[in-house]
Amino acid sequence: MSTYKKMLVAIDLTEEAPQVLAKARTLADSQDAELMLVHVVEPVGYAYGGDIPMDLSELQDQLDKAAREQLGKYGEEYGIEKVNQIVTVGRPESEVHSLVKEHDVDLVVVGSHGRKGFQLLLGSTANGVLHGTECDVLAVRIH
């Protein structure tokens, strides 16, 4: 079995993120791997249907700033360098796929709220990451 050299942990910013981060940190340490942390902020227009005739850029900026602050706290707590803390805007699956290629990542770690068995991944962001990425994906079950 090959060892991982660069791992990307993709988190949402809920109270469950530390479960995923702790697992990723332990695995990265055991593999002597570099750990990157990403949170993808979905564009505000998507969340509201995209047809609202108002400028949502201020709200988007606030979401982005809040995400960067929270990611910074997690980065500090889990020993992830600032340069490896990424907040980006877009669709989570697409952004993770791009980062995997751009940074030569060989393992993506995501959380999953799944049900039982293979349905653990179906219909979730984890499923989107799994299908279409060129590296291994570890789905951490959220309890």
Side-chain angles (χ1 to χ4, degrees):
M1 179 173 150
S2 64
T3 60
Y4 298 112
K5 295 186 182 0
K6 190 174 281 191
M7 297 168 46
L8 175 69
V9 58
I11 60 167
D12 57 16
L13 298 177
T14 66
E15 65 278 355
E16 296 150 343
Q19 290 181 53
V20 179
L21 279 162
K23 185 83 70 161
R25 177 80 269 165
T26 299
L27 186 58
D29 289 348
S30 75
Q31 300 283 307
D32 197 27
E34 181 179 358
L35 190 59
M36 298 178 67
L37 180 58
V38 66
H39 173 70
V40 181
V41 178
E42 294 196 53
V44 174
Y46 289 170
Y48 295 101
D51 294 330
I52 297 175
M54 62 173 53
D55 182 5
L56 298 173
S57 60
E58 187 174 320
L59 176 58
Q60 189 75 56
D61 290 345
Q62 289 173 351
L63 290 172
D64 188 67
K65 182 179 184 226
R68 289 181 192 285
E69 288 173 5
Q70 185 60 51
L71 213 67
K73 290 176 187 174
Y74 284 140
E76 189 173 315
E77 183 177 347
Y78 291 91
I80 301 168
E81 297 177 38
K82 272 275 191 222
V83 69
N84 283 340
Q85 298 172 24
I86 301 166
V87 173
T88 186
V89 177
R91 291 186 45 84
E93 307 85 21
S94 301
E95 295 301 313
V96 169
H97 293 160
S98 294
L99 290 167
V100 164
K101 290 178 184 173
E102 183 180 333
H103 294 278
D104 200 24
V105 169
D106 48 20
L107 178 68
V108 176
V109 181
V110 294
S112 179
H113 290 93
R115 296 165 290 280
K116 301 253 190 259
F118 189 68
Q119 289 186 353
L120 170 75
L121 299 175
L122 296 179
S124 66
T125 299
N127 187 50
V129 170
L130 176 64
H131 294 90
T133 194
E134 298 173 1
C135 69
D136 292 350
V137 177
L138 172 64
V140 176
R141 177 125 183 177
I142 305 292
H143 301 293

